[in-house]
Amino acid sequence: MKKFRKVLDGLTTSSPGGTIGTPSGGSAAGTPTAAPTPKEIDVQETLISENFQLCKTVRHGFPYQPTALAFDPVQKILAIGSRSGGVRILGRPGVDCYCQHESGAAVLQLQFLINEGALVTACADDTLHLWNLRQRRPAVLHSLKFNRERITFCHLPFQSKWLYVGTERGNTHIVNIESFVLSGYVIMWNKAIELSTKTHPGPVVHLSDSPKDEGKLLIGFESGTVVQWDLRAKKADFRIYYDEAIHSVSWHHEGKTFMCSHSDGSLTLWNLRNTTKPFQVTFPHGKIQKDGRKESCKPILKVEYKTSRSSEPFVIFSGGLSYDKAGRRPTLTIMHGKAITVLEMDYPIVEFMVLCETPYINEVQDPYAVVVLLEKDLIVVDLTQSNFPVFENPYPMDVHESPVTCTAYFADCPPDIIPILYSIGAKHKKTGYSQKEWPVSGGSWTLGSHTYPEIIITGHADGSVKFWDASAFTLQMLYKLKTSKVFEKPKPGEGRAAELGEEDPFAVQMVSWCPQSRIFCVVGISAHIILYRFSKYDSNTQIVSLEVRLQCDSEDIITPSENENNPCFSEPGPHSPQPHHQHPASPGSRTPEGAKDSIPCLKVKDRVVRVPPGYQSELVIQLLWVDGEPPPQITSVDINSAYGLLAFGNCNGLAVVDYLQKTVLLCISTLDLYGATDPYQRLTRSPRRNRQSTSEFCMRGLSNFYSDSKKRIRTSYQSLTELTDNQQSTDMDRSKSPTSVKGPGRKLSLPTDLKTDLESRENSFSRSRSSSVSSIDRDTKEAVTTLQFGESYGRKNDVLPGPCLWVGTSLGVVLLIPMSIPIDHEERMEDSVTVGPSGAVQMLKGSVLRFAFLDCSGALIQCPYEVWRDQNAPEDSDRPRRRKLVHFSPSSSQDACGEGHLTVVCSERQAKVFLMPSQSCLFVHNITESSFVLRADVVSVCNSVCLACFCANGHVMMLSLPSLRPLMDVNYLPLTDMRIARTFYFTNGGQALYLSSPTEIQRITYTQEMCDNLQEMLGELFTPIETPEAQNRGFLKGFFGGNPQTFDREELFGEAAAGKASRSLAQHIPGQGGLEGMKVAAGGAVGELARARIALDERGQRLGELEERTALMMTSAETFSKHAHEMMLKCKDKKWYQF
């Protein structure tokens, strides 16, 4: 027998923790009204707090604002440091690790401990860090903070445990890598230069060993002074004084000559036999002018001098161009013998590094590639071919090719979608790359056991959309779609761009994708929507265009003779917008005053165009200008392939389009959706000046044209496309008068000096999001913020579910619109779909963000969809092409649970669960009072469902369904910004993503299971590889060339010889890696000895403990023997009856 419980009228308190069978309800608008008594919902919730944990997984894209570069020639892994303190370590595809310094200080320099599995980072806060790379998630083993001097340059010789550190004062300190403490050996600047020198040589800009003798250290000072310091004799071998400042120094492998790059664009070659003047001075890009003088050139910031066995030496440098060639792009110059090749780059060069076959500096280098780190790209040039082609980059470094404006994340996609997208996208790949394998091939990565098809979609400012394969923690571009090809190119001085200063009129604002039917919908910033279908065949197509006038103005009033029931309500008929540049009756393309009217922002191509295989445009919908004012941006969209319908809304109202018949079914203002059930009872207001009113009903839709919702969308788009941080917020006061903002003067472009600070926005919104009548009177403009098609009950007395459209607004109102759709295929293509608002109204606090449907057992109800069919495929007479629909009706498989279903509604501040068709509120939870929700999704996780929320204050929350019990609340991003806020996206399987910087995508997980399995899913950075042996120099070469002498750095720099450094100079900070990590990271012969010593000590300790235990046992045995002997003596002479 089914149990029933009474629903308390007007009660909107949060549900108790684990009580699912005791719903609490109330009327939608919060006023006490009689509500039907719902059946008891008995859902066995399986999710508990222990199922959830939040942690970062992987980061994709190009490191934002890079500053440093390093390469391990044995392990073949690459490290990139950034201005925000991040370090990206890259190996073979799949090996991609991100580390972050806690201080957030910029990374100045990176130094690998070659083939040791460790990395040294020098940061702008004058701290050195030692990272252990022998674990999948690297950790800091040691840190050394310099207190009195600023670090400018570091050098770590191969197979050495002593790191040379140059400072701004010109001094050189030495750090023990194993213990991370300073040596007492210091090379002071006043000892390095001559006493007669009166000026300070400047900061240390270069440190390197002599390839000929490890005991000689070459020190380069910024002023142009170069000193070779004899570490054993503690004196200078020679000093070079040059007039121009030095930027870098590079040795010839024999150690007899070295090359310097200077600030005047010159290269100087020095021979150690004569250091009084340079052996050669060249200006590679400086031509001799008519008056005989050299052209002034830009500084050469870095030079590399590398020898080759089979050809002439390579001299590779960046910069050095003449000043008079304005506008030239940054260059990398390769001088190979007499040939000079200049490679122009798209972005400024941050750093470059030549990759060589050997790690030994005293051997022939044989360079094979050069890695060039640009401000916004990473390029590797093949040096083994004469035309110097670049390698094809296997990493997703072009996420930001055009600024990312929106994201979408789909987990557990149909398995066939990724291969077919890849096959289409592969046809459009660029050619001309080097045929050799990508040289950064270190680490190891295997496909984990917890993998499933995942796709990430990114929309961009230039109108392009990219599909990425995100399976198994990787990212690979599958397919690129250019939405701008649908439109004619705007001519200079014409169109919306000229009127409003719009720089990116095709920018993608949001996307909607159905993986099953492969229907794709793109919403652009110019108030346009493009509907795409997928096809494996190319076709010649005529793009169909619909123009919609979504505006509640006095001119738009339909007279009672035309439509007596609903003013401003367009039924299909002669007054509805028609396909291809037809729209409702309007005064014309120009008003009497000459302002634009009834024209779209962009012009669709009106000719037959040939489209390649892939996504092909089927329909373009554009909103029209009204009386010289551009259409507001679209704020919400939803598409359903089973219904063949597309719905969208903005701050003016709602429109529903039948994309099968290419007609507009509904075009109505938000206020008109209510009819007589307006929950706010808004007051009428006077229209704008110079306008005549014909209906008091539509006056309410005229006020506050520039609503807050529209400004939120615009601000979020502007900040998404910004590449600068720490910018000021803009004031968005909701109570502004409509006349205080001028329509045509607003700017939709991507400014370089604007970015909204979320905290200021949060404060302004918290003050304005009042649901009082007075607040609504001030702002009657109501935006449609979310839409959702689905099978539901349009009215309380409905017995069977049917197609419905759920509408959520910026004022927290939920509306339900039932629809009547013909079932038969032929009827569907010919008969019209009827749409009519039911007047059903529910209320929540804040803007409505998300809808979802559950059956009465708590399972998620999927939206119906159409199975994909290729409309361009050849005709098959035996199998006519008909629509195949898949429905998930709430009444199916619910015999045991009864009829009806649950509707989950989440707003910016509140979540509610309603029982349909009675529309009774079962559960209510106030998510936040001090902040507001930015993103909410109902996701499948751990064989159940939950509501995932991301708040403006940085909290990530999980709520159970349907009881809305809090399961997790983590303060993840306390200092967030609009870019993160508008790109955050939850998906099934416990994953989410957001744009952590303008160039990087950060993926996170919120499940304990994935956190536990994270180690096996990530790649290994370190793989055991034998260090290559040094080449035998030969007797004659060693005899005549000066064989390198054995050099014991421990003898010179150790505490016994050099003493201890001053404690005030630097402070040692233990890292989180622990002793075990230190043992692992300390490679080389000394490291092996240290490990052996530690192992011996541990063995001796264990032996000592065993000896102690043996001694205790012997003592115990002796005591027992003594007591036994005493007992024997005591009982020896006693009779048996005396016991």
Side-chain angles (χ1 to χ4, degrees), residues 61 396-402 404 458 460 466 468 475 999 1001:
M397 293 291 185
D398 57 346
V399 173
H400 64 288
E401 183 179 16
S402 174
V404 179
T458 56
H460 300 265
K466 295 181 181 179
W468 306 83
L475 195 70
T999 62
I1001 295 174

Side-chain angles (χ1 to χ4, degrees), residues 111-423:
Q111 285 277 324
F112 275 107
L113 278 68
I114 296 177
N115 204 27
E116 303 281 349
L119 175 71
V120 175
T121 59
C123 297
D125 60 351
D126 306 308
T127 306
L128 299 173
H129 304 274
L130 177 65
W131 292 82
N132 176 20
L133 305 184
R134 297 199 180 203
Q135 54 195 53
R136 293 180 187 243
R137 302 206 112 182
V140 174
L141 299 172
H142 299 285
S143 297
L144 188 66
K145 168 72 173 174
F146 280 73
N147 297 323
R148 295 186 300 187
E149 297 194 52
R150 309 216 61 181
I151 299 173
T152 56
F153 195 87
C154 297
H155 170 63
L156 180 65
F158 179 45
Q159 293 182 326
S160 169
K161 71 171 187 177
W162 298 96
L163 174 72
Y164 301 115
V165 181
T167 68
E168 194 175 38
R169 292 185 180 180
N171 302 324
T172 301
H173 300 274
I174 302 172
V175 179
N176 187 316
I177 290 297
E178 290 183 347
S179 60
F180 236 61
V181 296
L182 275 177
S183 167
Y185 193 112
V186 183
I187 304 174
M188 304 299 292
W189 68 271
N190 53 356
K191 298 289 183 65
I193 65 174
E194 289 182 341
L195 296 177
S196 59
T197 306
K198 297 180 180 181
T199 58
H200 191 279
V204 175
V205 296
H206 177 80
L207 294 168
S208 62
D209 291 347
S210 167
K212 196 174 180 180
D213 186 355
E214 294 178 349
K216 305 293 178 68
L217 181 67
L218 194 70
I219 307 173
F221 298 93
E222 188 181 58
S223 63
T225 302
V226 179
V227 176
Q228 179 168 289
W229 184 262
D230 189 331
L231 294 169
R232 302 183 192 87
K234 299 182 180 179
K235 65 176 184 179
D237 284 346
F238 63 82
R239 298 178 178 90
I240 293 174
Y241 300 98
Y242 196 69
D243 295 336
E244 296 295 334
I246 289 178
H247 286 279
S248 69
V249 181
S250 183
W251 280 99
H252 187 280
H253 80 276
E254 292 180 350
K256 298 177 181 178
T257 58
F258 61 87
M259 184 175 290
C260 300
S261 67
H262 300 277
S263 58
D264 62 346
S266 66
L267 296 174
T268 56
L269 186 63
W270 300 83
N271 194 314
L272 299 189
R273 293 179 180 177
N274 182 13
T275 58
T276 57
K277 63 178 182 178
F279 173 73
Q280 182 181 347
V281 180
T282 57
F283 287 83
H285 295 298
K287 297 180 181 179
I288 300 177
Q289 297 176 342
K290 294 181 180 179
D291 55 1
R293 293 185 302 173
K294 288 275 187 180
E295 286 181 317
S296 59
C297 297
K298 299 176 183 178
I300 296 179
L301 301 178
K302 184 178 181 180
V303 64
E304 295 244 18
Y305 186 23
K306 301 297 181 183
T307 54
S308 175
R309 286 187 177 87
S310 58
S311 62
E312 296 289 327
F314 284 87
V315 177
I316 303 172
F317 61 90
S318 61
L321 294 178
S322 58
Y323 278 107
D324 62 346
K325 295 178 181 178
R328 286 195 62 176
R329 294 189 291 180
T331 60
L332 182 79
T333 304
I334 302 175
M335 298 173 63
H336 189 210
K338 295 182 180 179
I340 299 179
T341 304
V342 179
L343 304 178
E344 289 191 342
M345 303 295 168
D346 293 332
Y347 307 102
I349 297 174
V350 176
E351 173 73 285
F352 75 89
M353 182 167 288
V354 179
L355 310 187
C356 302
E357 295 288 350
T358 175
Y360 297 94
I361 61 173
N362 58 356
E363 296 179 356
V364 178
Q365 299 297 287
D366 280 331
Y368 59 89
V370 54
V371 180
V372 187
L373 179 63
L374 309 177
E375 278 191 0
K376 298 178 184 179
D377 203 359
L378 179 70
I379 294 175
V380 181
V381 181
D382 187 356
L383 295 179
T384 61
Q385 300 183 43
S386 58
N387 59 339
F388 303 126
V390 298
F391 290 88
E392 185 177 5
N393 197 328
Y395 314 124
M397 293 291 185
D398 57 346
V399 173
H400 64 288
E401 183 179 16
S402 174
V404 179
T405 54
C406 70
T407 61
Y409 191 7
F410 299 88
D412 206 9
C413 298
D416 60 336
I417 192 69
I418 291 179
I420 195 169
L421 283 174
Y422 181 79
S423 63

Side-chain angles (χ1 to χ4, degrees), residues 542-583:
Q542 175 83 39
I543 303 173
V544 180
S545 174
L546 276 179
E547 296 176 355
V548 180
R549 185 184 176 98
L550 189 56
Q551 178 79 6
C552 184
D553 279 341
S554 57
E555 289 88 345
D556 293 336
I557 298 301
I558 301 174
T559 62
S561 60
E562 295 172 345
N563 194 328
E564 297 180 0
N565 297 326
N566 280 320
C568 295
F569 184 93
S570 302
E571 288 289 346
H575 300 285
S576 298
Q578 296 299 317
H580 198 60
H581 300 290
Q582 294 187 22
H583 45 78

